[in-house]
Amino acid sequence: MKIYTDEELAEILDKEIFRQISMAADSIGVECYVVGGYVRDIFLGRPSSDIDVVVVGSGIQVASELKKILGRKAHLSVFRNFGTAQVKFREQEIEFVGARKESYSHESRKPHVEDGTLEDDQNRRDFTINAMAICLNKERFGELIDPFDGLYDLEDGIIRTPLDPDITFSDDPLRMMRCVRFATQLKFRIDDETFVALERDAYRIKIVSGERIKDELNKIMMTDAPSRGFVDLQRSGLLNLILPELAALDIVETRNGRAHKNNFYHTLEVLDNVCRHSDNLWLRWAALLHDIGKTKSKRWDAAVGWTFHNHNLIGEKMVPVIFRRLALPLDMKMKYVQKLVSLHMRPIAIADEEVTDSAVRRLLSDAGDDIDDLMLLCEADITSKNEVRKKRFLENFRVVREKLTDLKEKDYKRLLQPCIDGNEIMEMFSLKPSREVGELKKFLKEAVLDNRVENEREPLMRLLMEKARGMGLVQRP
């Protein structure tokens, strides 16, 4: 980051839009400041198009004046209930709000708001690095107001609250999630006193809606290394309140000198591995939840040690519960996550033994168009410290990928889906939708996947008739 003087800040802000905001504020005689993330990102050298402006007076009035200056190309939206306004101009969105002070009740995140000074407004900010303001009035254009030394915290890479962190977090518990999110996004350290308050006040997160928590989690998920955020959530006790299924994986049990790995830290390693190769949010969620069923499936077997049989299937059933709680979408995105959680063991099982054509065909049939994402997840899941075993897995994965590529090039959908479907089976044997129809469809599909018969009408029909006779659906000649 770079430290700028007020004169240098004035040069940085010497843009048409800021000069026009300055003109609008001066024309009605009120103080006006650009605040928050836009100021922070100037010093971090990060691009930012959203501009937050605090007015010591009416933000709506300054926004309306700016609209007059900008003319027809600007769009003004006024939210009188909140005392805010927004001006959209070209690629920029400028939010205006009057300076205010806030007070909270213990049961709600909704504050009681009063008009206030710039100092009041900076006091209510969540973190010191977001509490800096730069004056836009002509006489003081470019002057930095930094009462909490946010600039030093930026320089030191620290997330700290402006006032007592217990008050900051208790007033608006969502700030605890934002604290972890900013630390993860910026790769900053949470100040010790602030972190202790996170631990003390974690229980307050219960009054925050799943939707707001989900928004912060998704922002953590989309960072380069989400593991940083989830470690902080776990250490603070927040994770146990918002995602207890994941928090529960942070345990290692030992019996007769035999221990299983810590599945929490394994999960975070898998998640970071996926993030190096994909920015697909839902693939990242699948990585986070892929072993979520291990706590419920864990068993001790004296012959083989710790086992987690069917943890993938248990995890698949847990996904909708988690998605509902966090107000995540219950549509095809959830189905996609469920599918990957359910199937994530299959490629590894194939790669752990001889890679057969039949196993690969079945895998591709079940995964369908999500096969590449599944393979990426499964390769990320190979975190063994045994380099010989890891090398063998990766080599077998290469063989699996080659066979998958060959099948896809040959139009796998046509190859793997029997050319005789359920409707034709019902018509042939005068059946209604029933167990018998399902059994015949499954029989044909198994035959095709095992490559016991070509996926052509004549050989499939012979096989079908033979099976139907065995089920008593047709008389033997």
Side-chain angles (χ1 to χ4, degrees), residues 52-70:
D52 291 326
V53 174
V54 163
V55 177
V56 183
S58 170
I60 294 174
Q61 192 177 359
V62 175
S64 301
E65 194 64 28
L66 177 64
K67 167 70 171 80
K68 292 177 190 174
I69 294 170
L70 295 175

Side-chain angles (χ1 to χ4, degrees), residues 258-270:
R258 299 167 79 174
H260 61 77
K261 65 187 173 189
N262 185 304
N263 287 303
F264 175 72
Y265 287 98
H266 162 74
T267 292
L268 298 188
E269 188 176 353
V270 174

Side-chain angles (χ1 to χ4, degrees), residues 87-133:
V87 175
K88 289 186 180 180
F89 181 64
R90 294 177 182 155
E91 300 300 314
Q92 291 175 316
E93 291 185 4
I94 308 105
E95 301 278 349
F96 291 85
V97 64
R100 59 193 188 185
K101 54 183 176 181
E102 298 175 342
S103 57
Y104 291 79
S105 70
H106 194 71
E107 294 75 24
S108 172
R109 287 182 56 236
K110 188 174 180 180
H112 172 68
V113 177
E114 302 174 57
D115 292 341
T117 63
L118 176 66
E119 181 183 0
D120 291 327
D121 204 87
Q122 289 178 300
N123 286 343
R124 74 178 184 83
R125 298 279 160 176
D126 50 9
F127 308 109
T128 59
I129 61 172
N130 295 333
M132 297 181 287

